[in-house]
Every structure is written in C-alpha cells, then in structure tokens.
C-alpha cells in the first residue's frame, strides 16, 4: 500500500492549489481517502475525506467552502482543490487511507475512530505574500 501526495508549493493568500493523492496497492472502491495536515506549532488535524462506496464527503469547518475533494477511481487518485488559501493553511498535507469518513459529529484520532492505517510523506503548502 502506497499513498503519494503531490501538488504543494508556494502560493499567495487568496490563491489556489490542487493536491493529488496517487494510491496503489488497493482500490478506492473499498476504502475512503482523507487528507490531514500538520501546521507549524499545531497538532495534526483531519481536514477532508471522500468515500466512493457511499458518496460521503467530509470537510473540517475551517476549510468548508474553500476546499473540494474529488476522486477518480479509474486512476486510483484523489484530489484536493484548495481555493482562497490563507496563511493559516500553511503546513504539510498528507493523504491517508481510512475505513470510512467522519460523519456529522467528527472526532479526532482518525486511527482509532475511522480506521486510518496508511499515509504518505505529504506535500508542503506555503501560503505567504
């Protein structure tokens, strides 16, 4: 199982980036794919998730309306479109495999609560003028 995130970079506030997560060793039909980030001085936080089996998506409140997650099962790839980026979005973004996405009452600790088991090295996003 491998998850390779790419697409990070330096962008000005208000700009956009599209992250990609190339998955291998398993099918997106059987698992959910999520994104979490490490921001400087902050704890890890799960920000988005998509499950093709039931069409469920999840967004953390801080990114709702700005980030959009989508998947291409034929390419086994998941995308995270990030618009109207803010300096506080700066961090390393990782994609991860989960058994299911968070629901309407999301919890932290994705390993224990949603079966998160694999993730990649991540890609660095820097939002700065």
């Amino acid at each position: 199982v491998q998850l390779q995130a790419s697409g990070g970079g330096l962008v000005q506030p208000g700009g956009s980036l599209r992250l990609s997560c190339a998955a291998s060793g398993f099918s997106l039909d059987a698992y959910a794919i999520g994104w979490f980030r490490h921001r400087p001085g902050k704890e890890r936080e799960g920000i988005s998730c998509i499950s093709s089996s039931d069409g469920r998506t999840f967004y953390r409140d801080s990114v709702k309306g700005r980030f959009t997650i989508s998947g291409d099962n034929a390419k086994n790839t998941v995308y995270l479109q990030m618009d109207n980026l803010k300096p506080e979005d700066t961090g390393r973004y990782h994609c991860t495999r989960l058994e299911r996405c968070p629901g309407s009452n999301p919890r932290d600790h994705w390993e224990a609560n949603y079966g998160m088991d694999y993730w990649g090295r991540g890609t660095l996003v820097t939002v700065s003028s």
Side-chain angles (χ1 to χ4, degrees):
V1 173
Q2 288 191 339
L3 295 128
Q4 181 68 48
S6 61
L10 173 64
V11 63
Q12 291 186 342
S16 298
L17 285 173
R18 188 176 82 153
L19 305 185
S20 298
C21 175
S24 60
F26 67 99
S27 172
L28 295 188
D29 294 333
Y31 291 90
I33 298 294
W35 289 89
F36 66 85
R37 67 186 180 187
H38 282 285
R39 295 186 294 165
K42 304 285 187 180
E43 293 187 356
R44 183 185 76 187
E45 56 183 7
I47 58 170
S48 188
C49 181
I50 187 168
S51 173
S52 63
S53 63
D54 59 9
R56 174 177 287 180
T57 57
F58 161 79
Y59 297 97
R60 193 176 189 88
D61 284 348
S62 58
V63 306
K64 279 181 181 177
R66 300 189 298 122
F67 291 10
T68 304
I69 193 168
S70 62
D72 185 338
N73 285 17
K75 296 182 178 180
N76 236 35
T77 300
V78 169
Y79 305 97
L80 186 67
Q81 177 67 39
M82 307 189 296
D83 298 318
N84 190 21
L85 283 160
K86 304 176 180 181
E88 53 264 40
D89 292 317
T90 293
R92 181 167 290 276
Y93 286 68
H94 303 257
C95 57
T96 181
R97 188 178 81 168
L98 307 95
E99 292 181 358
R100 61 192 179 279
C101 289
S104 57
N105 293 303
R107 300 179 180 181
D108 293 327
H109 306 296
W110 279 10
E111 293 96 327
N113 290 305
Y114 306 109
M116 183 174 93
D117 57 2
Y118 287 93
W119 56 92
R121 289 186 175 181
T123 185
L124 186 62
V125 172
T126 303
V127 185
S128 175
S129 55

